[in-house]
Amino acid sequence: MAIQIIFWVLIIAFVIPGYLFGFKKLFGHKQSVEAFRRFGYPLWFMHLLGFAEVAGSTLMLFNPTRIYGIAIFPIIIAGALYSHLKVKDAKKVVMKPILVGLHLLIIFLFTFLIPGICVIGL
């Protein structure tokens, strides 16, 4: 039971920022627009990534679709890491996608290596 609580805390701690950052990109938040301009990416790409983050976060909430959400985020995380390295952001900014990736790896391991962990769905 305690392991399931930890698992769902990890899921919620991943999904809430996924929604926040995804909706910021989707609706063209000022800071997101500035970041994508600095990276040299078109704004339609920002909206596409925002949609992918929101969709991936939603998929993570349900047991049958969690694997699809888990599959979407490494691509997003790798792109974020590349973008921050490309513009030579500070090390603490570059570390954020790495930490998000580690968080996702822990969720992946909980989901597929601990039998019966995903018994309870939302």
Side-chain angles (χ1 to χ4, degrees):
M1 181 65 175
I3 225 92
Q4 288 180 335
I5 292 170
I6 292 168
F7 175 71
W8 281 104
V9 167
L10 287 168
I11 292 282
I12 298 302
F14 191 89
V15 165
I16 290 174
Y19 279 132
L20 292 174
F21 290 111
F23 279 120
K24 282 182 175 184
K25 289 179 186 88
L26 200 54
F27 294 120
H29 188 263
K30 183 182 174 184
Q31 288 175 324
S32 298
V33 170
E34 290 171 3
F36 272 74
R37 285 193 176 135
R38 189 167 48 94
F39 296 146
Y41 301 142
L43 293 183
W44 65 263
F45 187 62
M46 175 186 71
H47 297 296
L48 179 68
L49 282 177
F51 176 79
E53 286 182 32
V54 170
S57 295
T58 302
L59 293 171
M60 295 274 294
L61 290 174
F62 303 98
N63 293 334
T65 59
R66 186 165 301 118
I67 186 65
Y68 303 113
I70 290 173
I72 288 170
F73 278 104
I75 298 163
I76 295 170
I77 292 167
L81 184 59
Y82 168 78
S83 298
H84 289 296
L85 289 171
K86 180 176 107 173
V87 296
K88 296 181 172 70
D89 276 334
K91 287 184 183 177
K92 72 177 188 175
V93 176
V94 172
M95 285 304 295
K96 288 179 185 179
I98 293 170
L99 295 175
V100 171
L102 290 174
H103 188 161
L104 183 66
L105 177 62
I106 292 168
I107 291 171
F108 174 81
L109 293 174
F110 264 71
T111 301
F112 295 102
L113 294 182
I114 300 176
I117 191 69
C118 290
V119 183
I120 302 171
L122 287 179

